Amino acid sequence: MNSIKQPHIAVIGAGFSGAYLTKLLIDAGIRVSLFEKSRGTGGRLSSCSLDNHSADLGAPFYTPTTPAFKKWLDQQPDIATWNTKVIDFSGKTLPSETFHLAIPKQSSLTRRLIQGAHFAPSTRIAKISHNANKQDHKNSIYDNDGLLLGHFDGVIITAPAAQAGPLLNTTEIPRLATAYSNIANQITSQASWVQVLVLKSSDRITPDLIKGEHKLLFRCIKNSSKLNRTDGLGNDVWVIEANSEWSELNKNSDPENVRKQLTEAFLKLLPIQPEILATRTHRWLYARHEAVDEEFIWDSETCIGACGDWLAAHHLEGAWHSAKMLAKTVINKL
Ligand SMILES: Cc1cc2nc3c(=O)[nH]c(=O)nc-3n(C[C@H](O)[C@H](O)[C@H](O)COP(=O)(O)OP(=O)(O)OC[C@H]3O[C@@H](n4cnc5c(N)ncnc54)[C@H](O)[C@@H]3O)c2cc1C
């Protein structure tokens, strides 16, 4: 690779790891083209709109476990802390908890982090091909229709494990396929059903977070209590998350049936029966992973790699760490 030219990297996936990696590469003077199959950034941090309301559909907040991640979050201009009133599913008051979250919605952070990159939304990458005979730009990527999208010095996949594997295999580089399958054999992914409910204003539903042991629910979050999330009409927006066990068992259930069950379970927790103004049901097929200790995949000969929460650790902090460690390696290499 010619060190005088500005290297050009393709990043596949604009979730948290892809967005943070993009920021680190751009800050190091690397040109980045970012491809995302959805219409916007965020991945499993994304938000949805229904009527005039917005709700965080994926991870509702950040819970840093290391000083380094907490320090980074505290330095971000669009991250704030949220003090929550917490009860358990039996109605018992629990100690209040403080979380980090992005304002005005969870995807705001990823949208800012990708500034400076060429961003191609609604673009699903289906193939990566490597030409060892070329000096520069030796990796090419193609979309779902077989359209060539460009030639790059390096390609980094940040999709969840189950989607990253097939893409790495399209390179037809046995080393990459082996690196992935060695890791993939140790990973299991879990689905998650999420139900958003917009309820006519009801002052008596006071907690921000309901959690604990439940045969169906994992937690219920009052999205409209989060900073900068009110709709001005005083309606409550709740995000109800089914637990992993139930979500896995009902992975292929009819969404209408899931909506009914999650809504019923949530309403049973309330002292009143509020009017439901709007609903949205969403299934995350690969919500969480049992991660491995590998941190990232990087093949220095081809400059093709992968990072994300299925490497390092199975949550946002893991995605952040994996992207950071891979960016360090890529920057040193280029
Ligand atoms: C309901 C839910 C609740 C959660 N709660 C928490 C929590 O409380 N705390 C916590 O720390 N973590 C939580 N998580 C996990 C957290 O959201 C993830 O760990 C983190 O967002 C993963 O980021 P990522 O960038 O690795 O992957 P992703 O966010 O999945 O990003 C991958 C991106 O790649 C895109 N993509 C995939 N294939 C292609 C392709 N072929 N071409 C182009 N683009 C592609 C996807 O559309 C996606 O945008 C939760 C997740 C869910 C779903």
Side-chain angles (χ1 to χ4, degrees):
M1 198 173 299
N2 190 332
S3 59
I4 297 162
K5 286 188 199 152
Q6 187 187 26
H8 191 184
I9 300 277
V11 174
I12 302 172
F16 187 45
S17 58
Y20 182 46
L21 179 86
T22 294
K23 161 97 181 126
L24 294 171
L25 296 181
I26 287 177
D27 286 353
I30 293 170
R31 201 172 141 210
V32 177
S33 290
L34 175 61
F35 299 91
E36 168 56 53
K37 70 179 168 61
S38 305
R39 279 181 299 165
T41 66
R44 277 172 280 156
L45 262 185
S46 61
S47 316
C48 74
S49 344
L50 63 171
D51 297 339
N52 292 324
H53 307 274
S54 149
D56 298 324
L57 260 190
F61 33 64
Y62 302 79
T63 39
T65 63
T66 59
F69 187 47
K70 184 178 178 302
K71 186 175 168 198
W72 182 85
L73 287 170
D74 286 337
Q75 287 166 343
Q76 304 310 304
D78 32 28
I79 294 282
T81 51
W82 181 40
N83 296 319
T84 55
K85 291 186 204 108
V86 190
I87 62 167
D88 72 10
F89 288 122
S90 70
K92 191 176 134 213
T93 302
L94 298 176
S96 70
E97 291 185 54
T98 302
F99 302 105
H100 286 75
L101 47 75
I103 43 174
K105 47 186 167 181
Q106 283 290 70
S107 52
S108 307
L109 173 67
T110 48
R111 236 191 356 259
R112 179 179 54 80
L113 290 175
I114 69 162
Q115 279 171 16
H118 165 72
F119 181 46
S122 306
T123 308
R124 182 189 286 269
I125 304 305
K127 185 173 179 221
I128 305 166
S129 81
H130 177 73
N131 185 344
N133 299 322
K134 278 178 81 177
Q135 185 68 13
D136 294 320
H137 299 150
K138 49 194 178 190
N139 297 302
S140 311
I141 62 171
Y142 300 82
D143 73 5
N144 244 1
D145 301 320
L147 188 73
L148 172 66
L149 296 174
H151 306 289
F152 302 91
D153 296 306
V155 179
I156 295 168
I157 302 165
T158 71
Q163 295 163 337
L167 260 180
L168 282 169
N169 284 339
T170 66
T171 62
E172 293 178 7
I173 311 267
R175 271 193 320 277
L176 282 167
T178 309
Y180 174 75
S181 62
N182 285 345
I183 291 170
N185 286 340
Q186 305 166 52
I187 297 174
T188 50
S189 307
Q190 285 164 342
S192 177
W193 279 104
V194 173
Q195 175 70 44
V196 183
L197 294 174
V198 181
L199 307 177
K200 198 152 185 183
S201 165
S202 75
D203 291 335
R204 277 180 290 171
I205 309 176
T206 50
D208 306 309
L209 173 63
I210 311 175
K211 63 178 198 175
E213 288 295 314
H214 195 283
K215 61 181 187 327
L216 198 156
L217 303 174
F218 173 50
R219 61 189 169 190
C220 307
I221 298 140
K222 194 177 181 181
N223 195 86
S224 47
S225 274
K226 290 180 176 178
L227 306 149
N228 292 28
R229 262 93 162 169
T230 49
D231 67 351
L233 302 171
N235 294 317
D236 285 346
V237 180
W238 280 85
V239 178
I240 320 298
E241 204 182 319
N243 66 39
S244 296
E245 206 177 17
W246 189 89
S247 295
E248 267 300 308
L249 271 175
N250 291 277
K251 194 153 73 177
N252 299 314
S253 294
D254 173 22
E256 178 53 20
N257 185 26
V258 171
R259 184 190 68 75
K260 275 190 193 144
Q261 292 199 58
L262 290 182
T263 305
E264 202 180 293
F266 173 67
L267 291 179
K268 270 192 191 153
L269 304 172
L270 305 181
I272 48 154
Q273 295 303 292
E275 185 184 340
I276 298 173
L277 302 176
T279 69
R280 164 130 183 206
T281 312
H282 184 81
R283 183 190 64 174
W284 294 99
L285 203 46
Y286 310 113
R288 294 180 179 80
H289 299 90
E290 289 297 325
V292 291
D293 282 338
E294 289 292 332
E295 294 190 331
F296 57 82
I297 294 175
W298 177 248
D299 183 58
S300 57
E301 225 170 293
T302 56
C303 293
I304 296 173
C307 66
D309 70 337
W310 49 283
L311 296 147
H314 63 282
H315 44 47
L316 286 158
E317 186 162 346
W320 177 82
H321 181 75
S322 178
K324 187 166 86 160
M325 299 316 281
L326 178 54
K328 217 182 212 178
T329 303
V330 173
I331 293 163
N332 281 340
K333 160 82 183 172
L334 300 180

